Amino acid sequence: MQTSPPSIRDWTVSRWFNTDHTGFSTHDLDGRVVLAAAFQMLCPACVEHTVPQLRKAAALFPAEQVAVVGLHTVFEHHDAMTSAALQAFLHEYRVHFPVAVDAPAIDGGAVPVTMARLSLQGTPTVMLYDRSGRLRRQTLGHLSDMQLGAEITRLGAEPAGPSLDPALAEPAAGPGCDDVGCRP
Amino acid sequence: MQTSPPSIRDWTVSRWFNTDHTGFSTHDLDGRVVLAAAFQMLCPACVEHTVPQLRKAAALFPAEQVAVVGLHTVFEHHDAMTSAALQAFLHEYRVHFPVAVDAPAIDGGAVPVTMARLSLQGTPTVMLYDRSGRLRRQTLGHLSDMQLGAEITRLGAEPAGPSLDPALAEPAAGPGCDDVGCRP
Amino acid sequence: MQTSPPSIRDWTVSRWFNTDHTGFSTHDLDGRVVLAAAFQMLCPACVEHTVPQLRKAAALFPAEQVAVVGLHTVFEHHDAMTSAALQAFLHEYRVHFPVAVDAPAIDGGAVPVTMARLSLQGTPTVMLYDRSGRLRRQTLGHLSDMQLGAEITRLGAEPAGPSLDPALAEPAAGPGCDDVGCRP
Amino acid sequence: MQTSPPSIRDWTVSRWFNTDHTGFSTHDLDGRVVLAAAFQMLCPACVEHTVPQLRKAAALFPAEQVAVVGLHTVFEHHDAMTSAALQAFLHEYRVHFPVAVDAPAIDGGAVPVTMARLSLQGTPTVMLYDRSGRLRRQTLGHLSDMQLGAEITRLGAEPAGPSLDPALAEPAAGPGCDDVGCRP
């Protein structure tokens, strides 16, 4: 728990993919709107909806204005969704935007560090950060392309600086995977 | 031809549907972004893509900020796409936003008045008007939902007043209907 | 009502489209499996599902073994779904298989003759006739492509002659159009 | 290479999933039509098209007439597509039909044993075996649902016994994954 809204810099990441320069850090995202999504490579709704949507956003918005970032939050099937498996997945699904691997829980628990800290309720979770790095949306499941295009543009039209009105987490449903996604 | 960019008030309309007050006029659109689309009820791409997209936009954006309007530009099969037929179509496809019937050509030609004046190249054509009523996009075919959501929002973030950078008509292709749409 | 199962020869048709030889009759269907569908050109489920499915079947099965036939059963919006309108529809949707126009009710009622005689409950209704011309399936709504492919093939493997086990009409739902189709 | 057409008993399998009785063998498939597909859990076309199609077939056709079987032929990303990963995949994608893991090449090569013996050119490959266990179709890529439903039914209408007309492998394309599938 924290008093200020969580920033993407609060992510605890064990590894980044698709960041070809060694010095990549979340500071590189400063001043840009960030569309992020927590996903798992074996979450059917993530594969069918979220990954294609992130690719569309990365293709549509100029990179200097909007950053698209994945967060691989493995909370089940840990032996199946390894870093090697994720790397193969990103290759086959032609994912070229940066993807962070959420750090495993220190106490050996199922839910990884960032997922727990952000109180994410499952995958996919769509997150929008404004140009000041503040979390403005965190929604379990899928947003329509039209709504996402509108919200990204709305955040981009704001001046960088303090912001308002976070629309945060949706209420939780039971564990398991359904049409919306997977929950721990 | 005209020197100032064409406005939605330049439309020459023989009849409006889904405008339940007699006094409806395009002045009612002042101050709002207007998403308009020229379509024909027997244009397959219009039925499959454009009409559902307009419905999605009408559901997503607040009506006081964004108006969604159809323009029925019949340039072929005039005896099939009558006003009575359009009325049945709008009922069955649950279209509740205003739809204008483009006025038939005075000289008996196939292309109706507004379609000719705006140099529309076929159906569907997506048109975006800014809050000052100026045409800012006119594109034959289909825009992705994400792009459309972004562009509507961008226009909504502009102050009402003089505007710039119209992205106007695409180059024409041959006559007939294909996956993009129908051209006269 | 009748004692023997209804045959496609029982259809009362005011006009055929896509039958280029004057002498076309339903006798030409003898010995073939017939996939038929009652539809309306302004029935959204018909346009989205049924017409494309009929086109797929016409492309997949050899014409000498399987005939694909439409039956335009207008029970609403009669002034919109005229023969001229249907002709334009068939052109724009690239329908090349024969389509019969169900004859209007003699007493001026809404439901046309064949639709009433077959007790069709709405559109779309998928009908399968065996090689002996007997109605073997009559189902309101949509069958999956896989099931339809299987059933057509099963009927084709039967010898022409007396047949069994008709799977006839589904129970009715209320009037109007929904995801299944339109009912009078 | 062999003189008689290859049978499903020729598969060399290191492990079966979704066969809950220890004594399961391919002999259990005798007398049934078998729809089989070679796939990889990280092949996008397999996940989008083939796995859902197999599930549809398993739901549509009676199990005593038609068996649906998967063959996991890993020829790339071997460290990602392990048995543990496949097990998680089958769970998340709700695959309940039997899935065989093709045995790894003895010489350490990339292409597994059965894939090499059947000269499969990539994933997905749809295979149809008749009621006598003979391979009758082996096609790289995707068949339409309607065609597959028709072909399964056609094979089911044949008496069990010697059969004809195998429609075997398609010509190869280059290595990598595309809309059709993945090739080694």
Side-chain angles (χ1 to χ4, degrees), chain A residues 41-42 44 47 76-77 79-80 84-85 88-89 91-94 177-178, chain D residues 41-42 44 47 76-77 79-80 84-85 88-89 91-94 177-178:
Chain A
M41 59 174 280
L42 291 182
V47 173
E76 59 186 343
H77 307 305
D79 55 343
F89 174 87
H91 175 76
E92 294 304 336
Y93 281 82
R94 299 175 190 184
C177 293
D178 57 19
Chain D
M41 59 173 280
L42 291 181
V47 173
E76 59 185 344
H77 308 304
D79 56 343
F89 174 87
H91 175 76
E92 294 304 335
Y93 281 83
R94 300 177 190 181
C177 293
D178 57 19

Side-chain angles (χ1 to χ4, degrees), chain D residues 97-132:
Chain D
F97 50 79
V99 173
V101 177
D102 195 0
I106 295 174
D107 62 0
V111 175
V113 173
T114 308
M115 184 174 184
R117 187 183 307 142
L118 298 178
S119 302
L120 302 186
Q121 295 172 13
T123 57
T125 293
V126 177
M127 293 173 278
L128 282 170
Y129 294 88
D130 63 24
R131 296 176 57 212
S132 301

